[in-house]
Amino acid sequence: MQRGSLTIPMYPTPGSRPVRWRISDQPVGYDDAVRIMEEEVEKIAAGQADELVWLLEHPPLYTAGTSAESKDLLAPERFPVHQTGRGGEYTYHGPGQRVVYVMLDLKRRRQDVRAFVSALESVVIGTLADMNIRGERREDRVGVWVERPERPPIAPGLPAEDKIAAIGIRLRKWVSFHGFSLNVDPDLEHFSGIVPCGITGYGVTSLIDLGQLVMMSDVDTLIRANFERVFGPVANAG
């Protein structure tokens, strides 16, 4: 197991412009979001646009990553299911979940996919730490996890734990897209229609479930501060 909030900075090359920081106030359809991300990635790769982080919420839906197995879709009629080119398996997105799409040019930073995923985990772990929540990595499970000592252990020596953040990325011309999702106050029962990320035996939690009565805007502020700590400066964008 890996624990703690190890930070692997991925600062841009000197002289780079700040990352654009965009927040959508209304839910964004998944297909529309993917189309916009792909357009932005092409412009970033061509040097026609600055890097971008886009924070949003989706209406209730499931997404299937490149490793998704049909047996892990338990309720296919419940919500729309979107096939997606990101890595990983099935995930749920919906209201109350902060989705953070990260479009960074790794040629200007570090061309190392594992380091990039670890850096995204550091953003989430730092955000949680600012709310006095201990988020942890797991060597065999992507994402960020929270131990639940109030529940019986999964097995001797294995404490119960829940997933609070999922990570799934894709690269095109070394520009990233997709990113991570952090559960603020989604309907956790909606996760029951899938085996989240293909992992059984573990639960899913949220900030509200852990007793953190926070607004989405407060979480956004913390995500931004931790993103800047790991990836460098940002600037508001429309």
Side-chain angles (χ1 to χ4, degrees):
M1 289 185 178
Q2 292 178 322
R3 301 176 183 271
S5 55
L6 175 66
T7 299
I8 303 176
M10 294 192 72
Y11 301 133
T13 53
S16 296
R17 292 172 57 84
V19 177
R20 290 176 292 154
W21 193 263
R22 177 184 298 165
I23 300 176
S24 291
D25 295 329
Q26 299 298 319
V28 179
Y30 190 77
D31 290 339
D32 289 337
V34 171
R35 174 182 54 79
I36 292 169
M37 277 194 289
E38 290 181 341
E39 292 171 356
E40 292 286 353
V41 165
E42 288 299 322
K43 291 188 288 186
I44 293 167
Q48 298 171 351
D50 296 330
E51 297 170 302
L52 173 65
V53 173
W54 184 17
L55 287 73
L56 53 84
E57 293 175 82
H58 285 305
L61 57 91
Y62 297 128
T63 66
T66 55
S67 301
E69 299 184 21
S70 58
K71 64 180 179 60
D72 292 333
L73 181 59
L74 306 179
E77 304 302 324
R78 188 171 190 181
F79 297 125
V81 180
H82 296 264
Q83 302 295 320
T84 180
R86 61 152 177 81
E89 303 184 46
Y90 282 104
T91 60
Y92 166 76
H93 294 312
Q97 182 189 69
R98 178 50 89 207
V99 176
V100 182
Y101 288 136
V102 182
M103 288 153 270
L104 300 182
D105 187 350
L106 300 191
K107 296 190 302 295
R108 308 180 201 173
R109 295 173 179 273
R110 183 177 176 186
Q111 292 177 258
D112 184 326
V113 177
R114 293 188 66 178
F116 177 56
V117 171
S118 183
L120 292 177
E121 290 173 340
S122 291
V123 173
V124 176
I125 290 170
T127 299
L128 295 174
D130 289 340
M131 292 179 279
N132 297 312
I133 296 172
R134 183 181 177 88
E136 300 181 336
R137 296 177 171 87
R138 294 293 179 258
E139 292 180 357
D140 57 340
R141 289 177 262 131
V142 175
V144 177
W145 299 80
V146 178
E147 288 191 1
R148 305 303 299 268
E150 71 276 13
R151 298 208 306 261
I154 298 170
L158 289 177
E161 54 188 21
D162 292 339
K163 192 171 192 176
I164 194 166
I167 295 176
I169 64 165
R170 186 176 181 183
L171 296 179
R172 181 175 295 165
K173 301 176 183 177
W174 282 103
V175 178
S176 68
F177 57 123
H178 298 282
F180 67 86
S181 58
L182 175 62
N183 297 332
V184 179
D185 187 22
D187 186 335
L188 295 179
E189 202 278 328
H190 288 177
F191 286 88
S192 66
I194 57 172
V195 178
C197 299
I199 300 170
T200 59
Y202 300 93
V204 179
T205 190
S206 68
L207 296 178
I208 297 297
D209 185 49
L210 294 172
Q212 292 292 326
L213 304 179
V214 293
M215 301 289 290
M216 188 71 77
S217 58
D218 298 327
V219 176
D220 291 346
T221 298
L222 296 178
I223 292 173
R224 179 169 178 158
N226 282 279
F227 180 91
E228 290 192 306
R229 177 177 57 85
V230 176
F231 289 103
V234 305
N236 291 339

